Amino acid sequence: MINRRTFSKAVGLGTGAAAVSLAGLQGGASAATGSRPSGAGPTSAPIPVVPTITPGTHTSFPTIKQVKAGVLDVGYAELGPARGPVVFLLHGWPYDIHSFVDVAPLLADQGYRVIVPYLRGHGSTSFLSRHTPRTAEQSAIALDIIALMDALKIPKAVFAGFDWGSRTADIIAALWPERVKALLSTSGYLITNIKAQLEPAAPAVEHNWWYQWYFASERGKKAMENEDERIALCRYTWTLVSPNWNFSDAVFARTAEAFKNPDYASIVLFNYRWRIGLVEGQKRFDRYEKQLAAQPPIGVPTITLDAALDPFTPPGDGSAYRTHFTGRYEHRTIANIGHNLPQEAPTTFAQAVVDVDHL
């Protein structure tokens, strides 16, 4: 989930009263649907309008493909025309590709080639060698996606994500902007600064990060290494971060299959322990992490989304991270929606992808 320091710095800036009034729980499109995003040329063609669907309309992907990319055998869903403009949809924790089970077909119907990969340690994505360290530095995950683009011979794409997926997309946009046509980043600028993470945050922020401290303990490690216990923990997390989302047992069970990956516990534990300085990353990623510690700006066209009911959404209607985005830019706050924004409000998310592609 998001960088606690970004949120901490925003505490006290306000409550985000400018939240867009959306029928988000019914999958309503954003207020900008059918209009030009700010900065778009006045003579440009009208932006396509994504049809409104009810969240949960789709329950599965037609097929899961596999491709060797970098150190991984990556599992991914692919929808849409093979020669269409490419969109990568990147999930977070504790979620999987089913966060985009409604978004992907909406974008495919708009002519996009949609790629939805399982991140390392999730679902059918596996390591090619048992000797590869099961680490999860932020740059390692971003390089996984660059390797996937190379394996699929995709030079450039629109990126959209939330949670770990937003962070990964932000990193690619910052370090390899030539690979990014446009960016949709839920919760804004999530690139982690390890040094800043070592400082205490506001009590309310630390409270929201209970699982991070739990994972730092031996008790948390044991829970994550027990399949039943980690699945129960993930389900509980869903209820806390998406208070208005009445997901069914079947919806959670579909995603929970991804948590049975044999590397899942190692990857999740490493990621959260690494972020707070408890474990060292691999030396081969040091040069990237040094660049990321400087909080590099993102210059590609970007729309940021804040889910109003997400406890990690910083107050201030995006003001906490606005200066990190130096290109064409829009911000939207989505009312009545929690952390898993694409699954809770798929039409709104899909429309934002189309909009940022025309920004």
Side-chain angles (χ1 to χ4, degrees):
M1 293 182 181
I2 76 168
N3 184 321
R4 72 191 183 100
R5 300 307 308 167
T6 299
F7 183 33
S8 178
K9 290 177 184 177
V11 170
L13 292 178
T15 59
V20 179
S21 178
L22 301 171
L25 294 178
Q26 287 73 45
S30 79
T33 298
S35 63
R36 299 298 302 165
S38 61
T43 60
S44 301
I47 298 174
V49 175
V50 176
T52 299
I53 65 167
T54 301
T57 296
H58 302 89
T59 59
S60 63
F61 292 97
T63 186
I64 301 298
K65 299 181 177 182
Q66 298 289 144
V67 65
K68 291 179 173 60
V71 300
L72 301 174
D73 182 4
V74 179
Y76 66 101
E78 180 173 352
L79 286 77
R83 299 195 178 202
V86 181
V87 175
F88 276 84
L89 302 176
L90 305 178
H91 69 80
W93 183 87
Y95 306 94
D96 83 328
I97 64 174
H98 289 89
S99 289
F100 302 105
V101 73
D102 284 323
V103 172
L106 286 172
L107 293 175
D109 287 346
Q110 295 296 324
Y112 289 97
R113 179 187 178 191
V114 186
I115 309 292
V116 195
Y118 284 109
L119 300 184
R120 59 168 58 192
H122 293 72
S124 63
T125 292
S126 62
F127 286 85
L128 294 172
S129 170
R130 62 186 177 86
H131 299 294
T132 303
R134 270 47 172 174
T135 65
E137 303 93 334
Q138 59 182 350
S139 57
I141 299 172
L143 285 164
D144 290 343
I145 303 303
I146 293 292
L148 177 59
M149 295 180 77
D150 292 343
L152 297 177
K153 296 180 171 54
I154 296 171
K156 195 168 190 175
V158 175
F159 280 85
F162 74 109
D163 197 88
W164 289 25
S166 283
R167 179 174 297 108
T168 302
D170 288 353
I171 291 167
I172 296 171
L175 298 188
W176 299 281
E178 70 279 2
R179 308 302 296 267
V180 182
K181 182 182 181 187
L183 170 68
L184 176 65
S185 184
T186 306
S187 302
Y189 188 90
L190 299 187
I191 296 175
T192 299
N193 181 338
I194 295 295
K195 185 177 180 180
Q197 291 280 93
L198 300 179
E199 297 300 320
V205 177
E206 302 285 21
H207 176 266
N208 285 335
W209 281 92
W210 63 273
Y211 56 88
Q212 181 167 269
W213 314 122
Y214 185 47
F215 292 160
S217 71
E218 188 62 24
R219 287 166 65 99
K221 181 175 182 289
K222 288 180 178 179
M224 283 300 291
E225 289 174 346
N226 179 292
E227 187 175 287
D228 292 338
E229 290 185 18
R230 72 170 173 254
I231 288 174
L233 183 151
C234 291
R235 183 178 180 122
Y236 179 62
T237 302
W238 279 27
T239 67
L240 295 179
V241 299
S242 293
N244 273 8
W245 186 30
N246 296 315
F247 59 88
S248 67
D249 291 343
V251 166
F252 178 77
R254 280 192 291 272
T255 288
E257 286 298 311
F259 308 156
K260 297 177 182 179
N261 184 303
D263 296 313
Y264 185 81
S266 296
I267 293 301
V268 174
L269 289 169
F270 187 96
N271 183 274
Y272 285 105
R273 290 179 168 195
W274 172 83
R275 284 196 224 170
I276 56 176
L278 296 183
V279 296
E280 292 289 330
Q282 287 183 272
K283 294 293 184 184
R284 69 190 189 96
F285 298 118
D286 284 353
R287 66 187 178 108
Y288 302 112
E289 294 303 335
K290 184 177 181 179
Q291 290 176 275
L292 296 173
Q295 302 285 272
I298 293 173
V300 304
T302 300
I303 291 177
T304 56
L305 302 178
D306 279 346
L309 298 185
D310 181 355
F312 300 98
T313 293
D317 199 29
S319 61
Y321 49 73
R322 174 64 183 94
T323 57
H324 290 292
F325 299 96
T326 59
R328 295 191 299 277
Y329 177 83
E330 279 195 6
H331 173 79
R332 301 172 185 178
T333 297
I334 314 303
N336 302 318
I337 296 298
H339 190 70
N340 188 7
L341 197 158
Q343 198 163 2
E344 296 179 61
T347 303
T348 297
F349 193 92
Q351 186 65 57
V353 173
V354 174
D355 291 347
V356 79
D357 188 30
H358 290 78
L359 193 62

